[in-house]
Amino acid sequence: MKTADAVVIGGGVIGTSIAFRLARKGLKTILIEKGAIGGATSGSCDKAIFLQSKKPGVHLELAKASLAVYKQLEHELGESIEFEQCGGMIAIESEEQLSTMKEFVQKQQQAGIPIRLLDVYEARQIQPVLADHMRGATWSELDAEVNPLLLSQAFAKAARRNGTEILTHTEVQGIECIQGRVAKIKTNLGEIATETVINAAGPFAPAIGKLVGLSIPIVPRRGVIFISEKVPPILRGNLLCAQYIVSKHLAHLSENYNPYGIGLSLGQTKSGNLLLGGSREFVGFQKDVPPEIYASIAEHACRIIPSLRGIRMIRTMVGFRPSTGDGLPILQESPDVEGFYIAAGHEGDGIALAPITGQIVASLVSKDNQFAHFTQHLTLNRFAALL
C-alpha cells in the first residue's frame, strides 16, 4: 500500500497547482487523475485572465491576488506558460448595453480596477476588427492571458520535481474514513493510506464528495469554443462582449432572449489560432452540441467582428465548467469529515484563480490561516439556505 501526507484528486490547473504548493511545503503528495493531466475542463477553455469581468468583492480580490502570483510564476515553475499582461476589452453593441456598462465601469473603478469606457472610435483604435455599428467598449491594461495547456503541465512538472507522485489514468473508487477522519483512498490500481484528501475534481467534485457522504452543490455548465486555422495577429489582448458579462453574472435576466448563454470571448494563441467562444448551458454532462448552438455562436461573433467570416474554424472544444451558482469556488475542509478538503467550483475562472487557489489550499492543510480573509467567504455555509 502506498502512503502519503496528502492526496490530490484531479489533474487540471487547480489540482496541479495545489499539488505543487503542498510539495513545496514538504508534504509527501500523490496526485490522482482519471485521465491525462489537463485533459478535461482545463484543456477545453480559453486563455484569458480577465479581472475587469469579476464582481467587486471577494471574487475580484481573489483575481487580483492570483494575478500577483502569475507575475512571478514562470520563474517559480522554471518554464514558459506564455503569460502576458496584454490588456482586455469588453465590446458594447447597443444603447441598452452601454447604459449597463457605464454602471459596471463605475463599480469596477471604485473597486480599484484601472478600466476606461471608450467610444466606438477609441475602441476601434485598439481593436480595428470591431464592426462599425458598435457603441463603444471598455478597456483595462490589467487583464492578461496564459496558455492553459502549458500551465497544467508546468504545475505538474514542478510538483514532480518537488517530490509529488502523479498517477494518471487512475480512478478513485472509494474513500475510507475511521471515526470521522479520512484514512485511506481506494483506486483501480491499489490503495493509498493518507489522512488528507483534496477534492479538486472540478465538475466531478460532487461524485467524489459522495464517497464520504458529502453533498457538494456544484453542477456542470457546458461551454463551446471554436478553434480557427492559423491567421496573422488580428487582436490586441483578449476580447469579450457585454452580452458575455450578462450571461456570466445575470443569466436569469438573459434566458428569454439568449437561452444558450451566447457571449463573445475571443483570444489568439502565439501560433495564430483564434479561440472563439462561447456558450453557457446547464445540460448535465451532455457532450453532443446541437447545430443551432454552433450557428448562434458564429452568427453573434461575426456580427461583432465581420472579418471572422473569412476565417476557417478547424475544430471545436466542449468543456464542463464546475458551477456553484454564485461564481465563487468552494475552498474549505469538510465540516463533517476531518481531513477531506474541497477545492472546486471555479466555473469559468479556474485559469484565472488557479495560482492563488494552490496557495490557499496549501495554507488550509497546514492550518496557518494565512488566507482566512478569503476562506471565510468560500465555504459550504453560504449554501445553507439552498440545501
Side-chain angles (χ1 to χ4, degrees):
M1 183 187 297
K2 293 178 181 292
T3 62
D5 295 326
V7 175
V8 180
I9 302 173
V13 291
I14 300 300
T16 54
S17 173
I18 293 167
F20 169 62
R21 294 299 175 185
L22 291 173
R24 283 283 293 266
K25 284 183 172 288
L27 276 69
K28 181 182 178 183
T29 304
I30 295 177
L31 184 147
I32 300 174
E33 165 55 44
K34 68 178 180 179
I37 295 298
T41 301
S42 297
S44 304
C45 57
D46 61 28
K47 58 205 290 286
I49 304 170
F50 258 92
L51 269 72
Q52 64 168 301
S53 66
K54 307 295 183 283
K55 289 182 178 179
V58 64
H59 198 176
L60 181 55
E61 294 308 311
L62 275 170
K64 286 180 180 179
S66 203
L67 180 63
V69 181
Y70 260 123
K71 290 180 179 180
Q72 44 78 43
L73 191 56
E74 287 185 327
H75 175 73
E76 277 195 281
L77 299 179
E79 58 186 285
S80 172
I81 53 175
E82 295 182 359
F83 171 78
E84 184 178 0
Q85 198 164 7
C86 47
M89 175 177 284
I90 300 175
I92 301 169
E93 197 178 6
S94 68
E95 287 296 329
E96 183 181 13
Q97 290 178 0
L98 180 59
S99 176
T100 299
M101 293 306 292
K102 284 180 179 177
E103 182 180 350
F104 175 85
V105 167
Q106 185 178 29
K107 289 180 179 178
Q108 299 301 79
Q109 289 174 338
Q110 290 171 350
I113 294 294
I115 180 175
R116 293 183 290 142
L117 184 64
L118 311 176
D119 62 30
V120 64
Y121 174 80
E122 293 170 317
R124 297 192 74 210
Q125 292 298 303
I126 297 174
Q127 305 288 15
V129 294
L130 290 174
D132 293 338
H133 74 273
M134 303 305 293
R135 304 304 301 157
T138 67
W139 174 259
S140 177
E141 300 284 353
L142 200 60
D143 298 325
E145 62 182 36
V146 71
N147 185 319
L149 300 178
L150 293 181
L151 181 62
S152 296
Q153 295 296 331
F155 272 134
K157 290 175 187 177
R160 275 198 185 99
R161 287 196 301 271
N162 283 273
T164 297
E165 181 179 1
I166 297 179
L167 306 176
T168 57
H169 306 286
T170 303
E171 187 171 351
V172 175
Q173 298 177 332
I175 300 175
E176 183 177 321
C177 298
I178 298 176
Q179 295 182 339
R181 182 175 185 93
V182 169
K184 184 192 300 181
I185 286 186
K186 300 176 182 179
T187 79
N188 59 315
L189 299 180
E191 298 182 343
I192 305 169
T194 185
E195 292 187 345
T196 302
V197 170
I198 296 94
N199 177 4
F204 306 102
I208 299 299
K210 285 181 180 179
L211 298 178
V212 295
L214 188 65
S215 177
I216 301 176
I218 289 173
V219 294
R221 195 174 192 180
R222 186 175 69 185
V224 176
I225 294 177
F226 286 101
I227 301 175
S228 82
E229 62 183 331
K230 295 178 181 179
V231 296
I234 67 169
L235 281 179
R236 179 179 168 188
N238 290 274
L239 178 66
L240 301 179
C241 73
Q243 186 168 295
Y244 175 99
I245 299 299
V246 173
S247 296
K248 180 175 182 178
H249 296 307
L250 302 169
H252 62 288
L253 299 180
S254 66
E255 286 175 355
N256 291 334
Y257 72 89
N258 186 14
Y260 306 129
I262 304 298
L264 176 67
S265 65
L266 185 66
Q268 190 164 16
T269 67
K270 297 292 184 183
S271 58
N273 305 94
L274 296 173
L275 301 179
L276 169 63
S279 58
R280 293 174 179 272
E281 301 174 276
F282 293 108
V283 291
F285 286 103
Q286 177 62 42
K287 259 210 147 169
D288 294 332
V289 179
E292 56 266 27
I293 294 180
Y294 289 121
S296 295
I297 294 170
E299 180 184 2
H300 178 70
C302 290
R303 191 172 67 240
I304 295 174
I305 304 176
S307 59
L308 289 174
R309 296 185 185 277
I311 297 174
R312 290 185 301 165
M313 299 295 145
I314 58 176
R315 69 183 182 93
T316 61
M317 297 188 294
V318 179
F320 297 96
R321 306 176 181 106
S323 173
T324 60
D326 67 359
L328 289 171
I330 302 168
L331 306 178
Q332 74 165 125
E333 184 176 11
S334 166
D336 303 312
V337 183
E338 191 176 356
F340 185 86
Y341 293 81
I342 307 162
H346 296 72
E347 197 169 325
D349 291 322
I351 302 302
L353 301 183
I356 193 62
T357 296
Q359 292 189 350
I360 289 173
V361 175
S363 174
L364 284 170
V365 171
S366 63
K367 313 290 187 186
D368 66 18
N369 294 320
Q370 181 182 354
F371 297 99
H373 57 295
F374 285 142
T375 55
Q376 63 181 318
H377 301 286
L378 305 175
T379 69
L380 284 166
N381 291 339
R382 72 186 199 262
F383 302 106
L386 302 176
L387 296 177

